[in-house]
Amino acid sequence: MAALTKELVLENLKRVKGPELVEDIVSLGMVSEVVINEGDVYFSINIDPSRAAELEPLRTAAQQVATDIPGVKNAIVTLTAEKIAGPGPSAQAAPSPAPARPNPANAGPPPPMSQQPGTAPQIAGVPGVKHIIAVASGKGGVGKSTTAVNLALGMSVNGLKVGVLDADIYGPSLPRLLAITGRPQPIQGNVLRPMEGYGLKVMSMGFLVEEDTPMIWRGPMVISALTQMLREVAWGDLDVLVVDMPPGTGDAQLTMAQQVPLAGAVIVSTPQDLALIDARKGLNMFRRVDVPVLGIIENMSYFCCPECGHRSEIFGYGGARQEAEKLGVPFLGEVPLDSEVRRRSDEGQPIVISDPESAHAQLYKEISVRVWDEIIKDDGTHSKPAPNIVME
Ligand code: ADP
């Protein structure tokens, strides 16, 4: 019996005709990346959303063909509608080289929970990029992206070469936070030149899709888009690439974390108990995939009444610090709630750049130093001396 491979699945899928019944779905580029996990096969077929009902038989035909391949236990096939304008990550383009541990975010089971530290398969690094770190949070709205941006800028003004990758495919925010417009241009083939803002190299799905384009993303597509944004971008020489993770600690985030060769993760949390529980989940998520947690940053939360605009602030000061101590991870610092941080952040004028002398900018710079210290701690791969970080 031939081994069950992606190639074998694609070969078989060539028997399935596309919507016009002329060419097959593989040649038409309609099939997403194929993911195989213990005999389960997952893929999606990209179609025009207006034809979803009409093309259901195409889906069942493809599912049947895949199920009939010897060695396949289950085939989970979904129709998807995805529009990506211009060059860049596309489910229709040939998929990137297979990620090390494929596991579609919404289709398959999460990887084994019992992963022992030190057993994670090695994921290839990104040439020229020395360290990749994730900034994650248990839930949305805790200021993760704002923190990621100011952290990246803090490291940059401290003398490091820094890039930021917006891994939030569903709600990219970096173009807005860094006030970058335009579209990354191809350099050669599929490789894109990253955008630049305030000295950072930046890549986000927000540069590649029209803002109002409705997108239905399926797990394999998200992974394909992420790997392309990571590997098909000319990042150049970087000391640090900061990955702004999508909020949450579910299977989708876990899967994404596994696609990126992470040196460590920073968790952003508000001080409230609820957020702390989530932060702990985030911590566990990274531990499960053998990624060191570099520490926790506490950021304040607020409630903004949608009716009257009144902001209620819920202070529960110090919770994250205590929690970090309890969990034995570094506490990297606390950032108070501040309307200037919010205003500047939302205007695409991050405070580290737009008001560098402010207390908040200083804070972010201090936290950046701590994060860098954690990154290079025990890092045997760091062969040249660390860039000179000067505290003001
Ligand atoms: P997340 O990435 O966790 O969803 P964002 O970074 O988008 O969160 O932040 C959510 C909102 O909170 C934004 O309007 C942002 O400007 C604001 N915000 C973040 N941190 C602070 C802070 N320390 N003080 C005031 N507002 C903040």
Side-chain angles (χ1 to χ4, degrees), residues 45-61:
I45 303 170
N46 199 25
I47 58 156
D48 174 350
S50 63
R51 300 182 71 180
E54 179 200 338
L55 294 178
E56 176 58 15
L58 187 156
R59 189 193 70 78
T60 40

Side-chain angles (χ1 to χ4, degrees), residues 26-282:
V26 177
S27 309
L28 286 167
M30 295 173 71
V31 180
S32 72
E33 182 173 5
V34 175
V35 175
I36 302 172
N37 189 13
E38 295 180 2
D40 291 338
V41 173
Y42 310 99
F43 59 89
S44 44
I45 303 170
N46 199 25
I47 58 156
D48 174 350
S50 63
R51 300 182 71 180
E54 179 200 338
L55 294 178
E56 176 58 15
L58 187 156
R59 189 193 70 78
T60 40
Q63 182 159 290
Q64 192 58 52
V65 165
T67 311
D68 287 346
I69 301 171
V72 173
K73 284 192 215 142
N74 267 301
I76 290 116
V77 183
T78 49
L79 295 179
T80 190
E82 179 192 20
K83 290 200 184 74
I84 296 183
S90 162
Q92 296 185 19
S96 289
R101 282 170 288 156
N103 185 49
N106 65 349
M113 305 281 281
S114 57
Q115 182 102 54
Q116 293 301 311
T119 60
Q122 284 291 311
I123 310 168
V126 178
V129 180
K130 290 203 188 76
H131 308 276
I132 306 181
I133 62 163
V135 176
S137 64
K139 59 177 185 182
V142 302
K144 171 186 54 59
S145 296
T146 303
T147 308
V149 159
N150 282 296
L151 195 60
L153 287 168
M155 289 198 269
S156 171
V157 299
N158 281 338
L160 297 167
K161 279 186 256 154
V162 187
V164 198
L165 168 58
D166 190 352
D168 195 345
I169 308 282
Y170 300 95
S173 53
L174 287 196
R176 182 175 47 88
L177 293 184
L178 291 164
I180 304 175
T181 52
R183 198 170 276 279
Q185 297 302 311
I187 295 178
Q188 55 176 143
N190 284 341
V191 177
L192 299 179
R193 189 193 307 281
M195 303 298 281
E196 294 201 23
Y198 305 119
L200 304 175
K201 299 225 170 123
V202 188
M203 191 62 197
S204 167
M205 195 42 85
F207 299 134
L208 301 167
V209 293
E210 303 301 338
E211 215 168 289
D212 298 326
T213 309
M215 286 196 297
I216 306 163
W217 289 94
R218 304 283 177 217
M221 257 131 233
V222 173
I223 296 310
S224 171
L226 176 70
T227 29
Q228 289 182 43
M229 286 203 296
L230 183 68
R231 300 186 184 280
E232 292 178 16
V233 166
W235 290 107
D237 285 334
L238 292 182
D239 294 302
V240 191
L241 178 63
V242 176
V243 180
D244 183 15
M245 294 287 290
T249 52
D251 290 345
Q253 289 79 7
L254 181 68
T255 305
M256 294 182 90
Q258 288 176 296
Q259 312 306 315
V260 181
L262 290 172
V266 170
I267 313 281
V268 179
S269 170
T270 54
Q272 290 80 30
D273 285 345
L274 188 65
L276 282 174
I277 292 163
D278 282 339
R280 199 175 315 162
K281 277 200 210 150

